[in-house]
Amino acid sequence: MYGAILGDIIGSPYEFDRGTKTKAFPLFSPASEFTDDTVMTIAVAEAFLDATAEADEESLRKLLIERMQYYGKVFPNAGYGARFIWWLRSRDPQPYGSYGNGSAMRVSSCGLIAVTLEEALELAEASAEVTHNHPEGIKGAKATAAAIFLAKTGHSKAEIRDYIHNNFFI
């Protein structure tokens, strides 16, 4: 999660920059700040940490929504997209078919807390489905969580690449 959060902060000045790609840039600048991705990463992690081992799918879904809406209200200007802002403000938030990268950007805790790869995939799907219920949105979250889990459990870059390629590319 440190890597996800630091990457978000370091990359924030360049998030919408479509200019020259370079590896020569300062890690931190006056324009560096956390974004919606960090806020939601923390919200998802807290939801999973607060969930009991007996939590069923519906109670986990409610906990994810509660934490995401809470943190979204605490940090309302973090850079959310228009549809996500609507979701954050909704009294009855429903998934809206997104296949954007938000579900993958907030999923790092799923790979970290999971005991098995299957659990990492299940947690990633649960965290994605509350907003990004399009199959591609879910796939992105699962691929990211799988990569994190596999790295955590000592798999090589080649093994991780092959797993992602074989399981998430059509």
Side-chain angles (χ1 to χ4, degrees), residues 132-146:
H132 293 62
N133 62 335
H134 186 281
E136 292 299 312
I138 293 169
K139 190 190 301 187
K142 289 170 84 171
T144 303

Side-chain angles (χ1 to χ4, degrees), residues 99-140:
Y99 53 87
N101 69 356
S103 59
M105 298 300 285
R106 66 184 185 223
V107 77
S108 56
S109 62
C110 299
L112 292 173
I113 65 172
V115 177
T116 65
L117 178 57
E118 293 72 26
E119 182 183 20
L121 297 173
E122 289 170 9
L123 294 174
E125 186 165 347
S127 74
E129 283 181 330
V130 295
T131 55
H132 293 62
N133 62 335
H134 186 281
E136 292 299 312
I138 293 169
K139 190 190 301 187

Side-chain angles (χ1 to χ4, degrees), residues 16-100:
F16 299 106
D17 181 1
R18 302 289 182 233
T20 305
K21 303 298 179 200
T22 180
K23 294 181 181 180
F25 60 89
L27 285 184
F28 297 99
S29 75
S32 297
E33 60 186 1
F34 67 87
T35 74
D36 57 330
D37 297 325
T38 290
V39 174
M40 289 301 119
T41 294
I42 292 167
V44 168
E46 185 174 290
F48 285 128
L49 291 172
D50 288 349
T52 64
E54 302 82 33
D56 64 1
E57 213 172 291
E58 184 58 26
S59 62
L60 184 56
R61 180 183 177 281
K62 286 180 181 177
L63 194 54
L64 283 160
I65 291 169
E66 176 186 301
R67 294 302 189 273
M68 291 168 75
Q69 286 191 319
Y70 170 77
Y71 279 100
K73 288 175 182 150
V74 172
F75 300 100
N77 300 313
Y80 310 103
R83 290 194 308 169
F84 194 75
I85 290 171
W86 171 85
W87 184 90
L88 284 173
R89 294 176 179 166
S90 175
R91 289 189 178 164
D92 183 26
Q94 298 297 316
Y96 50 91
S98 178
Y99 53 87

